[in-house]
Amino acid sequence: WETCWFKVELSIPPAWAGREVHFVWESDGEGMVWRDAQPVQGLTKEGEKTSYILTSSLEETEPHSLTLYVELACNGLFGAGKGSMIAPPDPDRRFTLSKAELVVFNRDVYELLVDLEILLDMARLLGEENQRSFQALYTANQMVNVCDVTDPSTFPAARDLAAAIFSQRNGESQHTIHAVGHCHIDSAWLWPYEETIRKCARSWVTVVRLMECNPELTFACSQLKLISVLWQAQQFEWVRSWYPGLYAQIRNFVAKGQFIPVGGTWVEMDGNLPSGESMVRQFLQGQRFFQEQFGRICSEFWLPDTFGYSAQLPQLMRGCGIRRFLTQKLSWNLVNTFPHHTFFWEGIDGSRVLTHFPPGDSYGMHGRVEEMLKTVKNNKDKGRVNHSALLFGFGDGGGGPTQKMLDRMKRMGDTDGLPRVQISTPDRLFSVLEKESSQLCTWVGELFLELHNGTYTTQAQIKKGNRECERILHDVEVLSTLAVAQDGTFQYPASQLQRLWRLLLLNQFHDVLPGSCIQLVVEDALQYYAEIRRAGARLQEEAVQSLCRELLQRKAGSAESTLVLNTLPWERTEVISRTGPAGTETLALVTVPSMGYALVREPLLPPQPVAVRKQEDGCIVMENGVIAVCLDVMGHLTSLRLVDSERESVPDGCYANQFALFDDVPLYWDAWDVMDYHLETRKPVTTLLKPLEITLAGGLRGTASFSLQIGESSTLTQEIILDAMCPYLRFLTQVEWKEAHKFLKVEFPVQVRSTNATYEIQFGHLQRPTHWNTSWDWARFEVWAHKWLDLSEHGFGVALLNDCKYGASAHGNVLSLSL
């Protein structure tokens, strides 16, 4: 990720007067041309950008001698993986500059070659039964006959032959493709955040140059401009901070309506794992940024590359001023083909958004004939709508559109035999689709991606950091708000909270929170979580000091007491641990009101203390008057029942809290995927290192702990906790994980029969089947949930809660949490 700088001194020969002159640069590292202290051109061999246009026609008054600087990065468009794209970066990889030349560019030859490419593609792809393919073939043949490569004066006649074909128009019923320039840049993936800043500059300065060279493209007698969409507010903010000159140019093109901010979120976040509040903040920060910087909010949500889409998103979109949605990722489904490309998507509250999947199933098209034909052929909603999107430009690692892509599509604007192609905008596309929407179908519930199920579990520390930091920022805001309400002189920490939220939102990017990124990115993400924890603890302390100042002052001069705060919206009675005067930990049962606090001097006495006893066979029984549990020496939960109902939750002969290890060898995307066949390799964890022993004998709390060996070299220690008056059993689990290509889960078979299990999602819940009747059912063998999943029948149920996990499943009567 190092950067090298080259100083390039150029002297253009006077004999090149009137010619188009390019500076050509080819290297396997990404580059940027700087001129007069400003970036002017991105260079990426893989992105077909290897030249900087010095002049389109050399004038005598133009400078013939000039100095450029080339900033060259030691990474390619897709990072620096060793041997394959998704392999870890190779620290010994060398990057080579293979060409640095000053050349005359022959525009006539270039145009002739593009003409021939389009004609030959039409001849090859339209099929022998289509007379248009033969017309294209014979025209190309005539062009070759007419053209003498040694005599440029023959070129215009050859080009006229091609123009005659391209100017033959379509009928009125032909499908219209709305081509939108697109530059998809992952905010971190196979490169760290820092490199993304440079990628944004390289890609966007190239788009600015294209816009300057293509102010107007004539299609079907309408004047249209090259449009490019950008949608991650965080990337705009990076360019604003690091490349102010470029940013000023971008703002100018936004004002002209050529650069179009879409998406409305801070980053292109994961569509499943962020909490409801985090998703709201993604929209809030994104929409606020676009409003402040460009004077408008986005009406389209653009999320082309994330790994599934929560059923809560339509409601969140509508609440944030967005009624249109575009993605294409469900084309990656491994099992079922999604049945629509244009449809209404309905969320859990009934909110609906008009949704479009570009039928070409890509956000990185190159403007080729083949892609146009695929877009029409692939469209699942023929007859319902007659318009669709095509997103063109190099993506993922950036790059964006090229001149050749534009020149290809210029020839296909309205050419008989091909769909109409117009350079368009998201607003123009969706406006037409809205007018045609009367026959569209509706999809209700989540848009589940049948691939990349491993991303719910990969990189456990990132998952834990996300959940913890979401909780910390919630608590800081609750306490700070209460402090402001009580004392008007308290300064609400708005700017500090915005900084911390933006760090958290950045880490929710769809290759960071899912864990599908290189080690450098993981290290950056963990540092950001540490900063949120540190700064959040300080802000929380300041809010508490202001909110409870009088109580804390009184407490200092009185008998031993503890200030306890509750940031949840219901009254809670729980056992807490507090430090006594001698520094020892003591337990206390306390009641604290909803969104409030209490000063605890004399703790409550439970109506029934926790009883813990060891049986002759080594099993341990715990009871607190609410629930009664039985644990065997392996730590298995063999019995769990509500004392009042006497109903047993664990089926006879089954073990809950059963750890199981699976082989995890996916087909390709290692950090991303777990395949359904992993379920065939289940091995219960049975190697006991330390049998279950009582560690706290009861009263306010009873605990027992044990240790297991997992696989070859990993260990697991678990403490099982039952508190007084508590209706649930807690499992405090620590794993020292040293396995490769293994997957650890914990299973809870329960004596409940239901065809659906319920999973918490953002601001709500979702039901998914517990059976595999159809391919749509079994494709969801591994799903995501937030803090709980539940299996219930009428009048009785069992829920499995967690504080840092997302991967889960419920098949038959077994609840499983992926660790």
Side-chain angles (χ1 to χ4, degrees):
W1 315 109
E2 295 297 312
T3 296
C4 312
W5 287 85
F6 292 81
K7 183 179 181 181
V8 183
E9 293 181 336
L10 301 176
S11 183
I12 305 174
W16 289 4
R19 311 293 294 275
E20 182 172 340
V21 182
H22 290 196
F23 166 57
V24 171
W25 179 279
E26 288 187 17
S27 62
D28 49 7
E30 291 192 272
M32 171 94 92
V33 181
W34 292 72
R35 183 174 180 175
D36 301 327
Q38 289 297 325
V40 290
Q41 177 68 49
L43 299 168
T44 308
K45 191 175 180 181
E46 299 148 292
E48 296 181 6
K49 296 178 184 68
T50 55
S51 67
Y52 168 53
I53 302 174
L54 295 168
T55 175
S56 57
S57 178
L58 183 63
E59 304 284 343
E60 196 176 321
T61 54
E62 288 185 84
H64 284 47
S65 297
L66 63 151
T67 300
L68 304 175
Y69 290 88
V70 178
E71 177 189 17
L72 189 60
C74 292
N75 54 269
L77 194 62
F78 292 98
K82 187 171 186 175
S84 94
M85 181 178 75
I86 61 170
D90 178 3
D92 300 319
R93 183 162 163 185
R94 296 291 182 269
F95 290 85
T96 306
L97 168 62
S98 53
K99 187 181 287 187
E101 296 178 351
L102 196 58
V103 303
V104 169
F105 183 77
N106 193 321
R107 181 66 57 180
D108 291 337
V109 171
Y110 163 82
E111 298 286 4
L112 203 53
L113 288 171
V114 176
D115 286 344
L116 282 165
E117 179 197 308
I118 301 297
L119 289 170
L120 291 172
D121 278 352
M122 289 174 67
R124 186 170 54 88
L125 296 166
L126 288 177
E128 288 188 12
E129 69 283 355
N130 190 328
Q131 70 163 359
R132 193 70 172 148
S133 70
F134 286 95
Q135 291 172 354
L137 178 64
Y138 280 95
T139 299
N141 189 61
Q142 281 181 280
M143 289 171 68
V144 172
N145 293 337
V146 165
C147 181
D148 179 352
V149 294
T150 63
D151 182 3
S153 68
T154 63
F155 295 173
R159 290 215 61 209
D160 287 344
L161 291 169
I165 280 275
F166 297 143
S167 63
Q168 291 172 341
R169 303 299 178 209
N170 273 298
E172 288 184 16
S173 67
Q174 184 59 275
H175 188 87
T176 299
I177 291 174
H178 293 250
V180 180
H182 194 245
C183 182
H184 183 259
I185 304 175
D186 285 328
S187 292
W189 178 31
L190 305 174
W191 49 86
Y193 288 127
E194 202 170 52
E195 184 58 30
T196 309
I197 300 171
R198 290 190 283 266
K199 280 180 172 289
C200 290
R202 286 193 286 265
S203 299
W204 295 0
V205 76
T206 301
V207 172
V208 166
R209 291 289 85 75
L210 270 179
M211 288 178 173
E212 290 171 347
C213 295
N214 297 268
E216 292 178 339
L217 299 173
T218 305
F219 286 112
C221 301
S222 63
Q223 302 296 310
L224 299 174
K225 299 174 181 176
L226 166 62
I227 309 293
S228 190
V229 298
L230 298 165
W231 70 97
Q232 298 189 58
Q234 171 69 84
Q235 294 181 358
F236 278 105
E237 177 62 26
W238 279 334
V239 171
R240 187 171 80 97
S241 301
W242 291 90
Y243 299 90
L246 171 59
Y247 187 73
Q249 295 176 64
I250 290 171
R251 288 190 68 174
N252 182 39
F253 281 109
V254 169
K256 290 178 182 176
Q258 286 183 255
F259 252 96
I260 301 178
V262 296
T265 51
W266 187 246
V267 297
E268 190 191 347
M269 77 278 193
D270 181 82
N272 299 321
L273 308 188
S275 70
E277 188 59 39
S278 289
M279 283 191 168
V280 169
R281 300 307 174 105
Q282 289 283 359
F283 284 109
L284 174 69
Q285 293 292 335
Q287 293 283 53
R288 178 184 286 166
F289 182 89
F290 291 132
Q291 179 70 53
E292 289 174 354
Q293 293 296 313
F294 307 120
R296 66 183 75 169
I297 63 170
C298 303
S299 58
E300 297 89 18
F301 183 34
W302 205 267
L303 206 61
D305 193 31
T306 63
F307 312 144
Y309 305 90
S310 167
Q312 181 56 278
L313 274 169
Q315 183 180 5
L316 296 180
M317 281 186 245
R318 292 303 295 259
C320 297
I322 290 173
R323 63 185 195 281
R324 301 155 164 182
F325 177 53
L326 182 141
T327 184
Q328 61 81 49
K329 198 64 178 186
L330 262 63
S331 65
W332 285 48
N333 271 7
L334 210 55
V335 181
N336 299 285
T337 302
F338 194 78
H340 302 293
H341 281 104
T342 307
F343 58 99
F344 284 105
W345 179 24
E346 187 175 298
I348 59 175
D349 75 320
S351 295
R352 298 204 310 169
V353 289
L354 179 59
T355 301
H356 183 66
F357 297 174
D361 294 340
S362 171
Y363 50 73
M365 296 293 206
H366 294 172
R368 297 182 183 278
V369 170
E370 183 176 13
E371 296 163 350
M372 307 302 164
L373 297 176
K374 179 184 177 183
T375 294
V376 176
K377 182 180 178 181
N378 222 24
N379 182 16
K380 298 279 192 303
D381 298 282
K382 296 182 184 76
R384 295 191 181 100
V385 289
N386 204 23
H387 294 255
S388 59
L390 180 136
L391 310 182
F392 67 95
F394 286 95
D396 290 339
T402 66
Q403 184 66 52
K404 184 173 277 189
M405 294 175 193
L406 287 165
D407 291 336
R408 287 173 183 141
M409 289 186 291
K410 185 193 299 186
R411 288 155 172 81
M412 291 185 270
D414 190 2
T415 295
D416 187 25
L418 298 176
R420 280 194 187 84
V421 181
Q422 56 180 240
I423 303 295
S424 189
T425 68
D427 179 62
R428 192 176 298 139
L429 165 70
F430 276 105
S431 295
V432 174
L433 292 177
E434 283 165 354
K435 289 175 185 169
E436 296 184 346
S437 65
S438 62
Q439 301 297 312
L440 291 180
C441 299
T442 297
W443 182 270
V444 178
E446 68 181 328
L447 295 172
F448 185 84
L449 178 65
E450 297 170 357
L451 191 70
H452 296 352
N453 318 57
T455 59
Y456 316 145
T457 306
T458 296
Q459 294 292 352
Q461 288 300 319
I462 283 183
K463 305 296 192 284
K464 187 179 177 73
N466 180 70
R467 184 78 64 80
E468 281 187 3
C469 290
E470 286 177 336
R471 178 184 57 75
I472 288 166
L473 293 180
H474 167 272
D475 289 354
V476 169
E477 290 189 336
V478 166
L479 296 167
S480 298
T481 303
L482 292 173
V484 167
Q486 181 176 290
D487 178 3
T489 63
F490 177 78
Q491 285 290 307
Y492 188 84
S495 59
Q496 298 101 305
L497 278 167
Q498 173 163 286
R499 183 180 73 86
L500 297 180
W501 266 112
R502 286 183 171 183
L503 283 180
L504 180 59
L505 300 180
L506 176 58
N507 273 357
Q508 289 173 348
F509 179 75
H510 73 257
D511 279 310
V512 181
L513 180 52
S516 48
C517 53
I518 59 171
Q519 182 181 339
L520 267 176
V521 179
V522 174
E523 290 168 358
D524 283 346
L526 295 181
Q527 281 187 351
Y528 290 163
Y529 290 135
E531 167 62 11
I532 295 167
R533 288 185 184 105
R534 185 195 62 75
R538 178 177 53 79
L539 292 176
Q540 187 168 299
E541 178 67 21
E542 289 171 4
V544 171
Q545 290 293 335
S546 172
L547 179 64
C548 306
R549 187 181 301 114
E550 290 182 15
L551 282 174
L552 291 167
Q553 286 168 351
R554 288 210 304 267
K555 178 190 161 195
S558 67
E560 181 191 344
S561 58
T562 305
L563 177 66
V564 185
L565 297 108
N566 174 17
T567 55
L568 294 180
W570 58 85
E571 181 182 272
R572 293 158 67 190
T573 299
E574 291 179 20
V575 175
I576 64 161
S577 178
R578 57 179 180 170
T579 307
T584 55
E585 291 287 316
T586 59
L587 300 176
L589 182 65
V590 302
T591 295
V592 185
S594 155
M595 291 278 189
Y597 51 85
L599 197 60
V600 178
R601 293 189 177 85
E602 292 299 321
L604 304 171
L605 290 173
Q608 184 172 332
V610 180
V612 184
R613 66 181 188 277
K614 189 169 186 176
Q615 297 179 326
E616 289 182 8
D617 59 1
C619 292
I620 292 174
V621 176
M622 293 197 265
E623 189 175 332
N624 67 357
V626 184
I627 59 175
V629 304
C630 183
L631 304 155
D632 71 9
V633 290
M634 291 283 296
H636 295 135
L637 181 63
T638 57
S639 173
L640 169 64
R641 58 187 176 83
L642 283 170
V643 171
D644 287 345
S645 76
E646 286 297 322
R647 172 152 177 181
E648 179 56 61
S649 302
V650 181
D652 287 344
C654 292
Y655 298 121
N657 196 36
Q658 170 69 64
F659 293 93
L661 200 61
F662 300 81
D663 292 342
D664 177 24
V665 186
L667 296 175
Y668 177 65
W669 298 97
D670 204 344
W672 288 255
D673 284 348
V674 57
M675 315 310 294
D676 59 341
Y677 53 75
H678 87 282
L679 296 168
E680 300 170 19
T681 66
R682 178 182 180 274
K683 296 181 184 66
V685 176
T686 56
T687 307
L688 192 61
L689 294 179
K690 180 171 156 275
L692 187 74
E693 291 291 346
I694 296 171
T695 48
L696 206 56
L700 288 178
R701 174 173 291 170
T703 65
S705 66
F706 66 97
S707 297
L708 299 172
Q709 180 169 329
I710 303 169
E712 294 294 315
S713 49
S714 300
T715 57
L716 179 148
T717 300
Q718 190 178 70
E719 186 176 32
I720 301 172
I721 304 165
L722 181 63
D723 283 344
M725 298 181 67
C726 187
Y728 52 83
L729 189 63
R730 283 192 292 149
F731 302 85
L732 191 60
T733 312
Q734 280 194 306
V735 181
E736 186 73 26
W737 184 249
K738 296 178 180 176
E739 304 305 301
H741 292 108
K742 298 291 181 186
F743 195 176
L744 179 67
K745 303 184 184 186
V746 63
E747 299 168 346
F748 288 82
V750 295
Q751 201 155 286
V752 177
R753 179 163 178 78
S754 176
T755 55
N756 287 294
T758 307
Y759 301 79
E760 191 203 22
I761 65 170
Q762 298 84 357
F763 297 132
H765 59 265
L766 188 70
Q767 290 199 325
R768 300 184 180 110
T770 57
H771 55 75
W772 293 347
N773 280 359
T774 71
S775 59
W776 294 87
D777 298 331
W778 69 255
R780 288 185 278 184
F781 59 87
E782 175 80 4
V783 297
W784 62 272
H786 282 196
K787 294 187 286 293
W788 54 264
L789 63 150
D790 165 273
L791 193 64
S792 290
E793 57 191 50
H794 180 69
F796 186 82
V798 180
L800 181 57
L801 291 79
N802 76 85
D803 68 355
C804 61
K805 296 295 168 187
Y806 296 93
S809 65
H811 185 221
N813 69 329
V814 179
L815 300 176
S816 176
L817 192 66
S818 300
L819 306 181

